[in-house]
Amino acid sequence: NFAFGGMAAGKDQLSYLSIANVEQGHWLHWVYAFVVWYVVVVVQMTVYEAQAAFLPRRFKWLRTMPEPRSTTVLVENIPPEHRSDEELRKFFGEL
């Protein structure tokens, strides 16, 4: 920005190294746009790779977990009319 930005910051010395020092329509804006997209793509690929490595570990962990912990589901916000074992079983049987 200091060398190629066009000195749009004028006498504001604190802005010499920031994007405020790049003139409107300067080619340097395209460099920033491509760098941002590069970072977005690399981060997304890294997250997907980490998720792909994590899922087999999670599935293995779930398969080795003892019952009933491995087969338990937390259900919240049950309507008052379904707060008995019989009604809850009937409600989930109809889904």
Side-chain angles (χ1 to χ4, degrees), residues 23 48 91:
E23 292 179 346
Y48 285 152
F91 175 78

Side-chain angles (χ1 to χ4, degrees), residues 38-71:
Y38 174 76
V39 169
V40 167
V41 169
V42 168
V43 167
Q44 186 174 7
M45 287 173 43
T46 304
V47 168
Y48 285 152
E49 287 173 9
Q51 185 179 11
F54 170 75
L55 284 177
R57 286 188 218 161
R58 177 165 171 78
F59 293 145
K60 180 182 176 188
W61 176 72
L62 286 171
R63 282 192 295 270
T64 59
M65 192 180 295
E67 287 190 19
R69 187 176 175 201
S70 64
T71 58

Side-chain angles (χ1 to χ4, degrees), residues 20-32:
N21 198 33
V22 179
E23 292 179 346
Q24 287 283 352
H26 199 274
W27 61 269
L28 210 49
H29 289 287
W30 288 104
V31 173
Y32 285 117

